Amino acid sequence: MAYDIAVIPGDGIGPEVVDCAMAVVERAADVHGVSLKTTWYDWGSRRYLDEGSMMPDDGLERLRGHDAIVLGAVGHPDVPDHVTLHGLRLKITKGFKQHVCERPTYLFEGVTSPLRNYASGDIDFVVYRQNTEGEYTHIGGREYEGFDSEVAIQSALFTREGTETIVRAAFDAASERDNELTNVTKSNAQAHGMVFWDDIVAEVHREYPDVEVERLLVDAASMDLVRRPEQFDVVVASNLFGDILTDLAAAISGSLGLAPSSNVDPTREHPSMFEPVHGSAFDITGKGIANPIGTVRSWELLWDHLGESAVARTLQSAVVEQLADPNAPRTPDIGGEAKTEAVTNDLRARIE
Ligand code: GGG
């Protein structure tokens, strides 16, 4: 099969990890006779500073025909964060109904958790984050700016389509794993949107009688992810809570630099998007030390989504073997001193 993938390196370390991962991914595709064409889009904060927008007006139209999208990162010290996020990543996730954000977390052999006494495989769960609405809707406004009476209103939006889609994806995943789902909300405080969310979970649950559902408020869930991460298997959460919990999840499994993410339209009407969980990380941009593994693992999710599981497994094996090898190069975020390029070359060599 031949695939046409859109690549948006974006900001900060985005271009560094996307470029490096490409070399590994091309090798893996080649080994399996999979033809890979990429089209690169230089959208992001540089474009915003030069031309006033993160992506062109017809950006979604240009992406629409691709089989999938790879995004590096968004965020720039000279551009407000809400401009970068709403101007690129959220335009794509919302415009393409990528309701489902899947973020797996795994403690690999050779990687040290900051939590005591956790060994390889002890932490192994996946978070399903609602990806298009909730607390990330652009509804609200500011009035009387600069006056004592100034007000800001920020609304959250929960639709049946957006909520049911993420909840169903999470139940599907739970049925394929250990039949355990943790539903994370804050429905004691947010008595409209999140009680609606709980109602949808209860409705969909009737279709999955074998799945056991645990309910946790997000404050308790944050504590328990640190206290007993081994007991989580599939977690479903709103956009904001999923965003926060997956940074925590990445940290307890060794590094944000290892964490992959998918933004999926389950109807497949639109292309889905794959990106490392980490952002632009301007503190290390240009130093050549960003970890490319989060991006390589995002390509792994991409190939699984496109049905090319052999390519995905080849990428997975290269990562697993490298992390387990005490002599392999590793970037500083996981305790090494190696450069991105050295890690990339080593991953590529493992595929050869
Ligand atoms: N590659 C992920 C990325 O660039 N994240 C930047 C960010 O701020 N993301 C917020 C979000 O995931 O909603």
Side-chain angles (χ1 to χ4, degrees):
M1 276 287 283
Y3 297 94
D4 178 5
I5 310 294
V7 181
I8 311 171
D11 301 335
I13 59 169
E16 300 173 31
V17 291
V18 167
D19 274 353
C20 282
M22 204 65 233
V24 181
V25 169
E26 279 172 346
R27 170 67 63 193
D30 221 31
V31 161
H32 292 283
V34 168
S35 162
L36 170 62
K37 177 187 163 218
T38 52
T39 308
W40 294 63
Y41 295 97
D42 61 350
W43 302 344
S45 295
R46 188 66 265 156
R47 187 183 193 283
Y48 177 84
L49 291 167
D50 292 341
E51 299 178 42
S53 63
M54 296 286 288
M55 64 192 273
D57 290 345
D58 66 348
L60 290 183
E61 284 319 306
R62 291 163 70 174
L63 294 175
R64 195 177 294 276
H66 292 282
D67 293 307
I69 305 159
V70 169
L71 173 66
V74 290
H76 189 286
D78 298 338
V79 184
D81 287 336
H82 66 276
V83 171
T84 54
L85 192 64
H86 283 272
L88 186 60
R89 184 184 179 274
L90 289 180
K91 267 218 166 96
I92 300 170
T93 58
K94 292 179 187 187
F96 285 163
K97 291 193 169 194
Q98 295 167 349
H99 294 309
V100 176
C101 178
E102 180 194 349
R103 295 186 163 179
T105 296
Y106 189 83
L107 178 58
F108 288 98
E109 187 184 342
V111 176
T112 309
S113 170
L115 304 180
R116 267 177 305 161
N117 303 328
Y118 282 93
S120 158
D122 287 349
I123 300 175
D124 177 9
F125 61 87
V126 53
V127 176
Y128 281 79
R129 167 191 180 191
Q130 208 297 329
N131 209 33
T132 48
E133 51 182 48
E135 309 87 342
Y136 285 51
T137 39
H138 204 46
I139 301 173
R142 289 172 69 169
E143 283 284 1
Y144 314 116
E145 279 177 62
F147 293 95
D148 289 348
S149 52
E150 185 166 3
V151 289
I153 295 180
Q154 180 83 55
S155 298
L157 176 84
F158 294 86
T159 68
R160 180 166 281 275
E161 178 185 311
T163 311
E164 218 176 279
T165 305
I166 188 64
V167 166
R168 199 171 293 285
F171 270 105
D172 281 339
S175 348
E176 281 163 22
R177 289 172 59 107
D178 289 345
N179 277 323
E180 286 166 16
L181 175 67
T182 306
N183 174 31
V184 176
T185 62
K186 188 70 186 168
S187 29
N188 58 345
Q190 307 225 300
H192 303 300
M194 294 218 165
V195 171
F196 168 77
W197 174 289
D198 283 341
D199 288 347
I200 301 245
V201 169
E203 258 177 59
V204 178
H205 191 189
R206 289 198 274 279
E207 297 167 37
Y208 297 83
D210 294 337
V211 175
E212 197 177 310
V213 177
E214 173 190 35
R215 280 181 60 180
L216 282 182
L217 298 177
V218 67
D219 40 348
S222 311
M223 179 179 66
D224 283 349
L225 277 178
V226 172
R227 215 168 51 148
R228 53 170 187 98
E230 72 283 3
Q231 290 174 16
F232 289 86
D233 191 45
V234 178
V235 176
V236 66
S238 67
N239 209 335
L240 177 64
F241 295 168
D243 188 5
I244 296 168
L245 291 179
T246 50
D247 266 36
L248 175 55
I252 59 172
S253 54
S255 170
L256 191 56
L258 298 172
S261 180
S262 68
N263 307 290
V264 172
D265 169 12
T267 69
R268 295 186 181 249
E269 187 189 334
H270 308 97
S272 293
M273 182 162 73
F274 300 82
E275 58 174 336
V277 173
H278 66 71
S280 50
F282 261 83
D283 54 332
I284 57 163
T285 299
K287 294 186 177 165
I289 55 166
N291 196 332
I293 292 180
T295 309
V296 172
R297 294 185 66 215
S298 300
W299 274 94
E300 185 190 318
L301 297 178
L302 178 152
W303 289 121
D304 272 329
H305 176 77
L306 294 179
E308 296 291 351
S309 51
V311 186
R313 295 295 75 73
T314 294
L315 292 175
Q316 183 179 29
S317 303
V319 168
V320 169
E321 281 171 26
Q322 184 189 70
L323 290 172
D325 180 350
N327 299 314
R330 53 179 65 217
T331 45
D333 58 301
I334 48 171
E337 293 179 354
K339 297 272 189 178
T340 315
E341 199 180 342
V343 173
T344 307
N345 291 342
D346 181 81
L347 281 172
R348 200 175 139 94
R350 286 172 198 272
I351 292 172
E352 281 163 342

